[in-house]
Amino acid sequence: MTADPETTLRADARRNRDQILAAAKTIFAVSGPEVPMEEIARAAGVGVGTLYRRFPDRDALVRAVAMDNFERVLIDAKVIAAEETSAWSALSRLLRQSVELQLSVQLAMVSPRALVILKNDPEVRRLRDEILVVLDEFVAGAKAEGKLRLDVGSGDIAILFATLLRQVRAKSPDVAELAARRCVGIMIDGLSARPGTELPGRPITSHDLDPMTEHS
Amino acid sequence: MTADPETTLRADARRNRDQILAAAKTIFAVSGPEVPMEEIARAAGVGVGTLYRRFPDRDALVRAVAMDNFERVLIDAKVIAAEETSAWSALSRLLRQSVELQLSVQLAMVSPRALVILKNDPEVRRLRDEILVVLDEFVAGAKAEGKLRLDVGSGDIAILFATLLRQVRAKSPDVAELAARRCVGIMIDGLSARPGTELPGRPITSHDLDPMTEHS
DNA sequence: CAGTATGCGGAGGAATACATTCCGGTTCTA
DNA sequence: TAGAACCGGAATGTATTCCTCCGCATACTG
């Protein structure tokens, strides 16, 4: 049906397309999906014209970035599931290593703009649902192992990491990057099952904040 | 010198001024200090004209909001210091209850826009420094008590809470508010001194990310 | 290696979003 | 009740941003 851009494009065009996607991913992660198109083009080392030729409008770009990252996370999760022996180590590894990937992904679940764009895209939803299933499995498994505190839901975890990803503006990118890794570490410790403070309310599930469905 | 707005203003004007400040605080906390002035005016229930009469431009408003919140946090911290018996409980109580206050405060330390405005304001700096001193005392004390993990600095804590404050967009404000409280709880547990994962790098101090000084 | 289809960059038109000003009408205060 | 202080929000000017268009460049094909 639709020609596959991966194979149909001329070599240089293909290269540019990839650069655009990569640049957009980085920039979206830091500044959200509303940055000027020109900024993305510059970061990708191409002209705006090229950007628009490949992605007719901003929505198309956002969708493409989301798809790309959802896929990547899903693959990661599956690899991890296969390699790790316990659900807890799988969960914490996924969270830890996904700083970059989740970066974009979660952002796509938090930004109102992206939400509107993605809400009605069946392909995106399918991927997203698959990810949620895997995540829920990890969470349930880790609880069963007694490693994850029982009073959290996958929604809590999602929020925790979604909020964390907006890169902090420290004095240098190095410090910022280190800080992010350390925050993740602290949060993982906060999630582990050890006698700690009791949390208010009830566990938040992924359904509680499912941005893909209408408000209650 | 400068007439004190608290006493000089006519009653209704004074009331409006307070409403504007309150509205700005809330909105800044959620959306950052770059929201359209009109939105703030609407939230405060006044016209833009009134907003501009009271605060000549955006910078003035940002500064006023920052001052207001810095003061509030400082007062809170001092009250807590007087009431709590251990540094750890003081620290965790401060973090827990300051969800709203810290909200604005930290935001003012993260947003580039606010930074520029506040960087050269000596009054703001003075307050800010006082807060940092109190926070450092709490941190040092809690470590001495063996309640706070030794491998974190006050900078780590600041980042942790600064990133957390951008309100999550859940299905309802209630859920969002609950989620925020739960996140704080999880983070506090992550900070407590119990055998957990080792953090990468070295503790981040408040100086490491001090936005009031130039990049190294 | 020449011919051509495909792709490229970026100037520029159109639309929008914002900050800020201004003034006729309203509300306090003495 | 007089008059000063204040209010709302329409109107103006400006800065951004989206997206199109077209002359030029580059990659594939035989």
Side-chain angles (χ1 to χ4, degrees), chain B:
Chain B
M1 294 237 70
T2 335
D4 186 353
E6 311 264 322
T7 64
T8 305
L9 256 40
R10 211 171 77 177
D12 55 343
R14 168 78 200 279
R15 195 167 32 236
N16 280 334
R17 183 177 186 277
D18 291 348
Q19 282 169 2
I20 292 172
L21 228 40
K25 214 168 63 169
T26 305
I27 294 187
F28 283 178
V30 175
S31 317
E34 322 230 331
V35 292
M37 294 297 251
E38 196 181 334
E39 189 173 329
I40 297 169
R42 201 179 331 121
V46 304
V48 261
T50 305
L51 175 46
Y52 273 96
R53 196 168 322 102
R54 220 44 73 198
F55 305 95
D57 56 16
R58 170 185 251 92
D59 286 12
L61 179 61
V62 170
R63 189 151 37 227
V65 169
M67 285 296 288
D68 186 273
N69 273 99
F70 280 24
E71 270 168 8
R72 229 176 274 263
V73 169
L74 188 57
I75 290 172
D76 273 20
K78 284 182 173 165
V79 168
I80 289 174
E83 287 181 8
E84 295 291 333
T85 55
S86 84
W88 167 254
S89 57
L91 179 61
S92 73
R93 180 171 150 198
L94 177 67
L95 297 180
R96 222 183 283 277
Q97 90 172 39
S98 286
V99 176
E100 311 147 15
L101 303 181
Q102 215 138 357
L103 216 96
S104 305
V105 175
Q106 304 290 36
L107 191 143
M109 304 185 78
V110 164
S111 149
R113 170 72 194 250
L115 267 182
V116 175
I117 301 174
L118 304 180
K119 183 143 39 183
N120 297 101
D121 187 314
E123 214 171 351
V124 170
R125 293 189 69 119
R126 190 181 50 71
L127 267 182
R128 185 198 73 108
D129 289 343
E130 273 193 71
I131 293 174
L132 284 184
V133 168
V134 175
L135 182 63
D136 278 338
E137 279 172 14
F138 283 4
V139 168
K143 278 186 185 174
E145 291 164 11
K147 293 292 186 55
L148 175 66
R149 56 197 295 171
L150 297 174
D151 57 353
V152 301
S154 50
D156 287 303
I157 296 177
I159 289 185
L160 212 46
F161 283 80
T163 58
L164 186 61
L165 53 67
R166 277 179 201 285
Q167 211 70 14
V168 186
R169 238 167 298 270
K171 287 176 129 176
S172 81
D174 294 336
V175 173
E177 200 272 333
L178 176 63
R181 289 221 313 284
R182 291 173 59 82
C183 281
V184 172
I186 293 170
M187 288 194 194
I188 287 178
D189 280 352
L191 288 172
S192 74
R194 291 171 301 162
T197 325
E198 215 159 301
L199 299 180
R202 53 163 179 69
I204 295 181
T205 68
S206 51
H207 182 260
D208 279 325
L209 47 130
D210 187 342
M212 300 276 178
T213 64
E214 237 14 276
H215 279 201
S216 49

Side-chain angles (χ1 to χ4, degrees), chain A residues 11-166:
Chain A
D12 55 344
R14 166 80 200 277
R15 196 170 336 125
N16 280 335
R17 183 177 186 279
D18 292 347
Q19 283 169 1
I20 291 173
L21 228 40
K25 214 169 61 172
T26 306
I27 293 186
F28 283 176
V30 175
S31 316
E34 323 230 331
V35 292
M37 295 296 253
E38 195 182 336
E39 190 173 326
I40 297 169
R42 202 179 332 121
V46 304
V48 258
T50 304
L51 174 45
Y52 275 96
R53 195 168 321 102
R54 219 44 72 198
F55 305 94
D57 56 17
R58 180 193 294 294
D59 286 11
L61 179 60
V62 171
R63 189 153 35 229
V65 169
M67 285 295 287
D68 185 274
N69 273 99
F70 280 23
E71 270 169 7
R72 230 177 273 263
V73 168
L74 188 57
I75 291 171
D76 273 20
K78 284 182 172 165
V79 168
I80 289 175
E83 288 182 6
E84 295 292 330
T85 56
S86 84
W88 167 254
S89 58
L91 179 61
S92 73
R93 179 171 150 198
L94 177 66
L95 296 179
R96 221 183 284 276
Q97 91 172 37
S98 287
V99 177
E100 311 146 15
L101 304 182
Q102 214 137 358
L103 216 97
S104 306
V105 174
Q106 306 289 34
L107 192 143
M109 304 186 79
V110 164
S111 150
R113 170 73 195 250
L115 268 182
V116 176
I117 301 175
L118 303 179
K119 183 143 42 184
N120 298 100
D121 187 313
E123 213 171 352
V124 171
R125 294 189 67 120
R126 190 181 49 71
L127 266 183
R128 185 198 73 109
D129 289 343
E130 274 194 71
I131 292 174
L132 285 185
V133 168
V134 175
L135 182 63
D136 279 337
E137 279 172 12
F138 283 3
V139 168
K143 279 185 185 174
E145 291 164 11
K147 292 293 186 54
L148 175 66
R149 58 195 294 170
L150 298 174
D151 58 353
V152 301
S154 50
D156 287 301
I157 296 178
I159 289 185
L160 211 47
F161 282 79
T163 60
L164 186 62
L165 54 66
R166 276 177 201 286

